[in-house]
């Protein structure tokens, strides 16, 4: 049965689909051809879209956040254009209609007041053929695996997305060993401590070791930042070129947000300057990281949000 001429009964049943989270409309049937999408009312077809407007779901993404909450994102496509919709947008007929009109071009329209059936129709007609993917938006231990971008433990349908340049792509082992030897020779005191601590970071949580952090203090121009950047290349080569998170260019909340993402990994923060008023920020960050959880916050409904685990190893310069 082709996608262009497709009749699908939409029963109120439980799909074997971990991505599907909303309740389904009972006993609906939908039809699609080259003209558009319609629904059956008895034996009569009532158009939902017309004039060739045939959006389809091409991908369903289950997003896992650092606090364990799940978010479902659907990617819909019209022609060569596509857009992503959160679950709230998907369940809001007005938001769904608005998103479709942004990418539909000049062709087609959604029949007035029929947009309330559109999400159910697209789920029914296309979700079974969509690509399903899980996206983790944090690093660290999760359900017995250590998550980091490009980890070999990830399935083909899984990705880890990080705002920080953590990565585990293959490199040149002999060149890396030589670079590490030279680095340890250059920084004979700080180098071995920093290297050992960086390797220990992923083990703090599973071994239930005491939390700690590192603070590198030296005169300006002594190479503290470059030393940290080179050592961070154990967890991704982009650390050598990316600008480190700086005390001077961030807020408490922004820094803690990134610390939540860096679970089980070294977390470098550069340019600590007491003379510039950074001490209160350092105190707030240190308390949160050492306590192992984010600040208590309220959501938009005034209810307490679940506090997010923080288990990174802070390295301050």
């Amino acid at each position: 049965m082709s996608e262009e001429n497709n009749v699908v009964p939409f029963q109120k049943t439980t799909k074997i689909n971990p991505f599907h989270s909303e309740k389904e409309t009972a006993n609906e049937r939908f039809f699609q051809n080259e003209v558009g999408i319609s629904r059956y009312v008895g034996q009569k077809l009532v158009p939902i879209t017309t004039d060739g407007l045939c959006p389809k779901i091409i991908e369903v993404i289950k997003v896992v956040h650092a606090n364990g909450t799940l978010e479902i994102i659907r990617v819909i496509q019209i022609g060569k254009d596509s857009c992503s919709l959160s679950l709230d947008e998907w369940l809001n007929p007005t938001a769904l209609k608005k998103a479709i009109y942004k990418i539909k071009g000049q062709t087609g329209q959604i029949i007035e007041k029929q947009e309330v059936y559109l999400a159910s129709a697209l789920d029914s007609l296309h979700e079974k053929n969509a690509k399903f993917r899980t996206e983790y938006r944090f690093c660290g231990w999760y359900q017995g695996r250590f998550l980091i971008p490009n980890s070999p433990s990830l399935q083909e349908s899984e990705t880890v997305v990080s705002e920080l340049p953590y990565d585990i792509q293959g490199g040149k082992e002999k060149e890396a060993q030589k670079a590490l030897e030279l680095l340890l020779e250059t920084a004979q005191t700080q180098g071995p401590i920093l290297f050992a601590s960086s390797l220990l970071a992923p083990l703090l949580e599973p071994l239930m070791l005491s939390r700690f952090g590192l603070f590198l203090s030296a005169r300006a121009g002594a190479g503290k930042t470059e030393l940290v950047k080179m050592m961070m290349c154990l967890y991704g080569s982009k650390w050598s070129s990316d600008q480190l998170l700086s005390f001077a260019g961030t807020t408490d909340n922004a820094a803690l947000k990134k610390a939540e993402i860096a679970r089980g990994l070294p977390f470098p923060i550069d340019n600590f300057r007491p003379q510039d008023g950074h001490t209160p920020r350092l105190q707030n960050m240190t308390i949160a990281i050492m306590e192992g959880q984010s600040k208590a916050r309220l959501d938009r409904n005034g209810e307490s949000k679940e506090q997010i685990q923080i288990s990174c190893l802070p390295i301050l310069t």
Side-chain angles (χ1 to χ4, degrees):
M1 186 177 294
S2 68
E3 184 178 343
E4 288 73 20
N5 190 16
N6 197 358
V7 180
V8 181
F10 198 38
Q11 304 292 340
K12 190 176 182 181
T13 57
T14 302
K15 292 185 179 181
I16 304 175
N17 180 356
F19 298 90
H20 202 282
S21 59
E22 66 269 25
K23 293 182 179 179
E24 299 165 341
T25 306
N27 301 322
E28 287 281 4
R29 291 191 304 153
F30 300 100
F31 173 86
Q32 177 179 318
N33 59 15
E34 66 279 0
V35 175
I37 299 172
S38 303
R39 65 186 181 94
Y40 275 97
V41 179
Q43 298 300 315
K44 180 182 177 182
L45 277 173
V46 176
I48 299 174
T49 69
T50 188
D51 299 331
L53 180 57
C54 297
K56 63 179 180 180
I57 303 171
I58 60 171
E59 189 174 27
V60 181
I61 307 168
K62 181 174 73 172
V63 179
V64 185
H65 293 280
N67 62 355
T69 60
L70 302 180
E71 178 185 3
I72 304 298
I73 295 176
R74 287 172 175 79
V75 181
I76 59 172
Q77 183 181 55
I78 302 172
K80 295 182 179 180
D81 295 322
S82 63
C83 67
S84 300
L85 295 114
S86 67
L87 182 58
D88 287 342
E89 292 172 317
W90 188 255
L91 296 178
N92 183 329
T94 302
L96 177 55
K97 181 178 180 178
K98 184 177 180 180
I100 288 175
Y101 269 64
K102 280 186 177 180
I103 63 170
K104 79 176 186 65
Q106 301 298 318
T107 304
Q109 62 176 322
I110 301 171
I111 303 300
E112 188 70 25
K113 298 183 180 180
Q114 294 299 308
E115 62 268 22
V116 295
Y117 301 100
L118 191 51
S120 295
L122 294 177
D123 275 336
S124 173
L125 292 165
H126 301 299
E127 193 183 61
K128 62 183 179 297
N129 298 317
K131 177 183 178 182
F132 290 89
R133 179 164 61 87
T134 300
E135 183 178 287
Y136 303 98
R137 295 192 178 175
F138 59 93
C139 297
W141 292 102
Y142 181 74
Q143 296 184 348
R145 293 186 299 166
F146 194 87
L147 301 177
I148 192 169
N150 294 306
S151 168
S153 69
L154 295 172
Q155 303 296 318
E156 186 176 348
S157 61
E158 295 179 313
T159 56
V160 176
V161 177
S162 175
E163 296 178 21
L164 297 168
Y166 297 111
D167 204 345
I168 195 168
Q169 290 182 331
K172 298 179 180 179
E173 185 176 349
K174 290 184 178 180
E175 291 184 11
Q177 289 177 341
K178 183 63 176 177
L180 180 60
E181 290 174 3
L182 293 173
L183 187 62
L184 295 179
E185 288 177 7
T186 303
Q188 296 184 7
T189 301
Q190 301 96 332
I193 296 173
L194 188 58
F195 177 59
S197 299
S198 299
L199 294 180
L200 183 62
L203 300 176
L204 293 176
E205 182 182 342
L207 296 181
M208 294 184 288
L209 300 176
S210 298
R211 299 177 184 275
F212 69 96
L214 299 177
F215 177 54
L216 277 65
S217 177
R219 60 177 175 80
K224 304 184 299 296
T225 299
E226 294 305 315
L227 175 62
V228 171
K229 286 168 68 174
M230 293 302 295
M231 205 64 73
M232 286 300 299
C233 287
L234 290 166
Y235 298 101
S237 60
K238 292 182 180 179
W239 283 105
S240 63
S241 57
D242 277 42
Q243 185 72 29
L244 298 184
L245 182 67
S246 173
F247 274 96
T250 189
T251 63
D252 292 10
N253 289 338
L256 288 175
K257 186 69 176 178
K258 287 182 169 58
E260 293 166 3
I261 297 170
R263 278 189 356 202
L265 289 165
F267 177 55
I269 313 175
D270 197 22
N271 289 327
F272 172 64
R273 296 176 181 173
Q275 67 272 25
D276 292 340
H278 296 165
T279 301
R281 184 171 303 153
L282 174 62
Q283 291 173 336
N284 292 337
M285 292 177 57
T286 301
I287 291 171
I289 292 173
M290 294 301 107
E291 287 183 348
Q293 59 186 5
S294 63
K295 292 181 179 179
R297 295 187 178 95
L298 299 179
D299 60 19
R300 66 182 65 179
N301 298 318
E303 298 179 356
S304 296
K305 284 185 176 181
E306 183 178 349
Q307 291 177 273
I308 300 175
Q309 177 185 1
I310 299 178
S311 58
C312 62
L313 191 158
I315 302 175
L316 313 177
T317 64

